[in-house]
C-alpha cells in the first residue's frame, strides 16, 4: 500500500481524469446524459458524480476517494459541514423508539443532537463517562442501535477505548460511529479497530486553512448508502468550489499534522507546570490518566490541548486576551493557532446544567497551528505569566 502522502496526492487520479495537473472545478448544478439509459443510471447511482450536484459531483468524488483511502474504508461521502455529516448519519441509522449511547465529554453540537434534537424525534440517548469502558455496557438497552464516540474528545482530550466499544457493539448488533476530527487519519484510524463509520468536521485539519465548511463520513458502502439517501432529502450539499478547496487542503495533510503534533506537545509540556494552570488535558503527556491507551491507539496526539486555569472563568478569559499569536476563535486545525473559552462558546448549544456537566468554567481550548514552536511557546507562557494570581493554588498534576 502506498504511503499517506502518496495517497493524498494520487488516490483520486482516476476520477474524471483530464490533462490538467490540478483538478478542474465542476461548478455546475446538473450534468447531461447521452441517452435515457445513461440518465437513469446516473440518477440512481449512490454517491454519484455526474447527474446533479446534490446527488454528487466529481469534486465530491475526488475528496471521498482520498478520505476513504486515508481512513482505510471502502467508501466515503461529503457533506456541507461536520454537523451535517453527524445529523445525516444519525437520522439514517435510528428511528423513533431507538436508543443511542454517546459520551459526556464531546463536542457541544454533538451533545445537543443527542440531548435536545433526538428526543424530539422519539429517540432517547444516554451520555456516559468515556474513560470507563464498562459504562457503555451499563447504558445498553434492548433498543440501543448506535454508539457514538469521539476520541480524543472535545475539549477535555479524553480517550475512548475503541477496541472495547467495538467488541461490545458487535456482540449486540449495534453500529459504532467515531468522530476522528481531532486525531485525523494521520494519527488514528478507527476503522482499524473495527469502528463501522468514521466522520470528520473536514472544516478542521482535513482542510487545514480555515476557509471551508465541510464534513466527511467514511465506512462500508452498505452503511453509507442509506446515509446518502437521507442526505438527498436534507440537502446539506457541499459546493463544488468548497470540495475543490478541501481536496487541495488534504493534499498537504501529511506535511501539516507532524507540526501540529509537535506544537501541541510542546505547549502542553510548557504549560503543565505553570503556577497559573491547574491542569493540562493532552494525551501526549505522561501524566494524562489515559496516556498508555492513547499511545496504543494513536501515532501522534494532535495540536489541541485543554488548559484549566486555577483562577477559573475570569482568568481563562484574561489569558485569551493576553495571547499574541493564537487568536480568539471557535475554529481549530488550520495553519494558524486559535484559542477559545468553551464555557462561553457552547452556551448557545447546551443548557447551563448540561454545560456544567461537560466543560469546566476555567478551561481554554488551545489549538496549535504550524507556527514556529519556540514562538508559540514563548507567547503562551508570557500570557500565562500575565494572568498569574499569586494567591492561586499551584498545579495539581
Amino acid at each position: 500500500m502506498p504511503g499517506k502522502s502518496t495517497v493524498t496526492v494520487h488516490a483520486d487520479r482516476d476520477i474524471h481524469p483530464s490533462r490538467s495537473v490540478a483538478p478542474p472545478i465542476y461548478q455546475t448544478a446538473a450534468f447531461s446524459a447521452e441517452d435515457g439509459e445513461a440518465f437513469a443510471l446516473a440518477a440512481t447511482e449512490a454517491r454519484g458524480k455526474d447527474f446533479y450536484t446534490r446527488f454528487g459531483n466529481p469534486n465530491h468524488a475526488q475528496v471521498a476517494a482520498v478520505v476513504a483511502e486515508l481512513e482505510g474504508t471502502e467508501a466515503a461521502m461529503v457533506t456541507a459541514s461536520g454537523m451535517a455529516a453527524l445529523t445525516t448519519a444519525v437520522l439514517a441509522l435510528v428511528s423513533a423508539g431507538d436508543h443511542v449511547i454517546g459520551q459526556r465529554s464531546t463536542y457541544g453540537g454533538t451533545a445537543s443532537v443527542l440531548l435536545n434534537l433526538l428526543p424530539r424525534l422519539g429517540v432517547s440517548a444516554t451520555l456516559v463517562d468515556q474513560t470507563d469502558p464498562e459504562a457503555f455496557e451499563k447504558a445498553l438497552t434492548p433498543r440501543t442501535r448506535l454508539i457514538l464516540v469521539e476520541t480524543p474528545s472535545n475539549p477535555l482530550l479524553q480517550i475512548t477505548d475503541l477496541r472495547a466499544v467495538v467488541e461490545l457493539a458487535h456482540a449486540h448488533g449495534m453500529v459504532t460511529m467515531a468522530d476522528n476530527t481531532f486525531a485525523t487519519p494521520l494519527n488514528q484510524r478507527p476503522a482499524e479497530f473495527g469502528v463501522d463509520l468514521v466522520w470528520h468536521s473536514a472544516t478542521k485539519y482535513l482542510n487545514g486553512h480555515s476557509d471551508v465548511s465541510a464534513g466527511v463520513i467514511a465506512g462500508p458502502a452498505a452503511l453509507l448508502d442509506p446515509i446518502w439517501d437521507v442526505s438527498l432529502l436534507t440537502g446539506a450539499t457541499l459546493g463544488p468550489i468548497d470540495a475543490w478547496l478541501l481536496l487541495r487542503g488534504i493534499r498537504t495533510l501529511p506535511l501539516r499534522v507532524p507540526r501540529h503534533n509537535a506544537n501541541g506537545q510542546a505547549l502542553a509540556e510548557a504549560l503543565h507546570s505553570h503556577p497559573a494552570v491547574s491542569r493540562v488535558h493532552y494525551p501526549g503527556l505522561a501524566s494524562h490518566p489515559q496516556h498508555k491507551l492513547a499511545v496504543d491507539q494513536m501515532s501522534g496526539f494532535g495540536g489541541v490541548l485543554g488548559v484549566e486555569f486555577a483562577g477559573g472563568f475570569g482568568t481563562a478569559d484574561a489569558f485569551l486576551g493576553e495571547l499574541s499569536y493564537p487568536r480568539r476563535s471557535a475554529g481549530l486545525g488550520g495553519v494558524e493557532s486559535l484559542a477559545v473559552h468553551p464555557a462561553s462558546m457552547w452556551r448557545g448549544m447546551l443548557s447551563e446544567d448540561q454545560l456544567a456537566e461537560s466543560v469546566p468554567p476555567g478551561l481554554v481550548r488551545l489549538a496549535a497551528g504550524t507556527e514556529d514552536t519556540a514562538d508559540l511557546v514563548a507567547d503562551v507562557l508570557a500570557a500565562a505569566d500575565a494572568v498569574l494570581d499569586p494567591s492561586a493554588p499551584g498545579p495539581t498534576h
Side-chain angles (χ1 to χ4, degrees), residues 61 189 196 210 262 290 296 338 352 390:
R189 301 214 301 179
D196 298 302
S210 303
Q290 296 174 289
D296 179 57
L338 302 173
E352 290 297 324

Side-chain angles (χ1 to χ4, degrees), residues 46-48 54-57 59-69 71 73-82 84-89 92 177 197-202 206 214-238 243 246 250:
R47 301 178 308 285
R54 180 161 57 88
F55 286 62
N57 178 290
N59 297 123
H60 295 171
Q62 289 167 321
V63 171
V66 175
V67 172
E69 190 76 14
E71 287 288 4
T73 61
E74 180 183 6
M77 60 178 282
V78 299
T79 62
S81 67
L86 171 65
T87 55
T88 303
M177 186 171 172
L197 292 167
V198 182
W199 71 282
H200 292 260
S201 172
L206 293 186
V216 181
I217 316 169
L223 274 178
L224 289 178
D225 285 352
I227 298 172
W228 179 79
D229 288 339
V230 172
S231 76
L232 297 182
L233 303 177
T234 59
T237 306
L238 185 64
L246 174 56
I250 290 174

